[in-house]
Structure formats: structure tokens, C-alpha cells
Amino acid sequence: MKNLKITALLAVLAFSPFYANVFPVTPASIVKKVAEAAKWKSESIDVGKIPQGKPKIIRFEFTNTSSQPIMIDKVAPSCGCTTADYTKTKILPGKTGFVEASYNAAAEGPFSKSITVTMSDNQNPKVLSFKGTVVK
């Protein structure tokens, strides 16, 4: 009878609110939080007509809408005609960061390019795009 009472008491304690915070459960994965952390001002920019032979800089800005600092890990332009620069420090909550593309407008005609941005531990990179027409 004594063993039954002890077992019952242990069972009650195991399911009581007292132990509810002993093993915290994360409601959403960190990857999902990071994916939602950057709110981009624009993910696609049309630069219109640009002069041939003059590089064009396209700036993408975002705000960290999470409660944790985020960081850009990697920026990969889609071709060799585009170089990229970006915020290389941690972006604190509520602060802004940027990704800049410098497009070499050597070839006349329409163009459409992209830049792939990987942030912190995010497994889903963001693809930013820009387009326009190079004129003489």
C-alpha cells in the first residue's frame, strides 16, 4: 500500500505544473525564426534604362524584425558581370542592413540578374533580383 501511495504521488508530481518548465520546448525552430527575421524593402528592382559602360549599383535593404541579432553569411551573384557588397556585422533587432549589387553594364540590351543571400543559420536562402536595359 505504501508503494502504491509513493507511485501515485510521483505520478502526480511528474504531470504537475511545477515540472512544466524543467524541460523547455522551443515552439518554432531557429531556422524558421531566422527566415522570418529579415523584412526586405524590395526583393526585385527594375532599374530601367542605364548607360552602357557605366557600372550600376543596386541596393537592397532589409530590417531585422526578430528579437535576435542576425548576420549575412554569404552573398552570391548569379554571374561574373555582377559583384556584391553587404552588411558584414551583426544586424541588431529593429536595425537595417543591406546588400548591394554592382552590375557591369558592358553589353547593350536587356538584362535580368539575381543575387542569392544566406543569413545566419537559415537553410532557405533569399533570392533578390534586378533587371533593366543597357543603352548606348
Side-chain angles (χ1 to χ4, degrees):
M1 186 69 165
K2 187 175 182 181
N3 285 341
L4 182 61
K5 287 181 182 179
I6 291 173
T7 304
L9 179 62
L10 290 175
V12 168
L13 287 176
F15 294 106
S16 73
F18 175 76
Y19 288 101
N21 292 323
V22 173
F23 301 108
V25 177
T26 306
S29 71
I30 292 173
V31 171
K32 189 170 185 178
K33 286 182 182 178
V34 171
E36 298 167 355
K39 172 73 174 154
W40 293 90
K41 186 174 181 180
S42 178
E43 295 178 23
S44 180
I45 297 175
D46 186 345
V47 297
K49 294 180 180 179
I50 61 173
Q52 185 176 15
K54 292 186 179 180
K56 175 69 176 175
I57 295 178
I58 301 94
R59 186 176 177 100
F60 297 91
E61 294 182 347
F62 66 92
T63 302
N64 178 356
T65 57
S66 75
S67 61
Q68 300 294 320
I70 58 175
M71 192 161 182
I72 298 174
D73 287 338
K74 183 179 175 186
V75 175
S78 61
C79 72
C81 61
T82 305
T83 58
D85 190 20
Y86 57 94
T87 305
K88 294 178 179 69
T89 58
K90 288 182 181 179
I91 299 97
L92 299 175
K95 299 298 180 183
T96 60
F98 72 90
V99 172
E100 282 184 347
S102 179
Y103 175 65
N104 180 359
E108 188 178 4
F111 65 90
S112 179
K113 303 296 175 186
S114 64
I115 300 174
T116 304
V117 180
T118 306
M119 299 180 114
S120 300
D121 293 327
N122 188 354
Q123 300 298 319
N124 300 313
K126 174 65 70 182
V127 178
L128 307 172
S129 63
F130 60 96
K131 65 180 181 176
T133 304
V134 176
V135 295
K136 274 189 167 177

